[in-house]
Amino acid sequence: MKKLLLFGVSVAFAVLANAQVVNMSNEAFNKELKPAFVMPLDYSKKLVDEAVTNRFKADKLKGKSAGAMTLYAKTTYSSMCVSNCDIYTKVDGNGKSATLTIFVARENGNFVISGDDEEQCIKKYMVGLITDIKALELQYQIEEQTKVCEKAQKEYEKLLDKKASLEKDLKNTEKAIQDAEKEKDAQKNILEQMKAKQK
């Protein structure tokens, strides 16, 4: 019973340890500090950036470059519980980890901050993006593994062809050996007949 309880606690801690956290902090925005939603991720910058862009595109939202960020201007986005807001997304990082930052500015110029009605909805949305990121990562892994499989298949077929060629060569060689043996015996027989005439 104690082992089962310890196992349950261990699993719970493992889940909590792997749970993604979205923090609110003041981040650089056009040379100022503005409230933002920040989520660190153990995925490459390229992967996160592409997954986030794909999600907005899939939801029919068009973004445009705004310096180091992408701006979705005057957007009503039910998935983030916002109406007529400017949404700015930014992904920083490298090939191993990345940080997704989202700023949400209302019409009056105020940014969504901790405690606002939209806070939990935006955080939930950002955590939900992990599913998209994992799916995209798996897609790339499948594409890469497909290439590996195709290469292995070609190598296998190449060896099968080589085997068939070697088997054909072996068969031809065996026939040539049989023919050579017959010729050897025939010539030896002729030689013996010649020697017999000497006696």
Side-chain angles (χ1 to χ4, degrees):
M1 185 66 179
K2 284 183 180 179
K3 287 183 180 179
L4 186 60
L5 181 62
L6 285 173
F7 175 75
V9 171
S10 299
V11 170
F13 274 117
V15 170
L16 287 172
N18 292 322
Q20 209 60 51
V21 178
V22 179
N23 297 307
M24 291 224 64
S25 66
N26 290 318
E27 299 293 322
F29 182 93
N30 295 338
K31 298 181 180 179
E32 295 182 60
L33 290 178
K34 295 293 182 182
F37 295 83
V38 181
M39 181 170 66
L41 294 155
D42 293 325
Y43 297 95
S44 71
K45 178 183 185 297
K46 179 181 178 297
L47 195 68
V48 174
D49 202 16
E50 186 175 346
V52 172
T53 300
N54 289 349
R55 169 48 50 200
F56 277 94
K57 281 183 180 178
D59 291 339
K60 312 296 184 196
L61 299 179
K62 292 182 180 179
K64 64 178 182 179
S65 178
M69 298 181 282
T70 300
L71 165 63
Y72 299 87
K74 304 218 177 329
T75 299
T76 294
Y77 195 17
S78 60
S79 295
M80 292 176 68
C81 305
V82 299
S83 178
N84 205 27
C85 290
D86 289 342
I87 300 172
Y88 297 84
T89 65
K90 182 176 70 165
V91 180
D92 297 305
N94 52 42
K96 293 184 178 179
S97 63
T99 300
L100 170 62
T101 304
I102 294 181
F103 299 88
V104 180
R106 297 192 178 89
E107 281 183 282
N108 59 12
N110 292 332
F111 285 70
V112 173
I113 62 173
S114 181
D116 285 350
D117 293 341
E118 303 91 342
E119 179 188 3
Q120 294 308 316
C121 189
I122 294 170
K123 286 182 175 180
K124 183 179 178 182
Y125 172 82
M126 291 176 71
V127 171
L129 286 170
I130 297 168
T131 301
D132 294 42
I133 296 167
K134 286 181 177 178
L136 186 60
E137 181 184 48
L138 180 59
Q139 177 188 320
Y140 280 131
Q141 288 173 342
I142 289 171
E143 288 173 2
E144 190 61 34
Q145 188 60 29
T146 298
K147 290 177 185 176
V148 171
C149 286
E150 287 173 350
K151 184 179 178 182
Q153 179 67 27
K154 285 179 182 176
E155 184 63 25
Y156 172 72
E157 290 172 358
K158 182 180 175 182
L159 289 171
L160 282 181
D161 289 343
K162 186 175 181 180
K163 179 188 175 188
S165 177
L166 288 171
E167 286 177 343
K168 184 179 179 182
D169 287 346
L170 179 60
K171 187 176 181 180
N172 290 338
T173 301
E174 287 175 342
K175 185 178 184 307
I177 288 171
Q178 289 174 355
D179 292 343
E181 185 178 17
K182 288 178 182 177
E183 179 64 15
K184 171 184 70 79
D185 292 343
Q187 295 303 326
K188 186 177 180 181
N189 188 42
I190 292 172
L191 178 60
E192 288 174 353
Q193 287 176 7
M194 288 179 174
K195 287 180 178 180
K197 288 180 182 180
Q198 285 182 326
K199 294 178 181 179

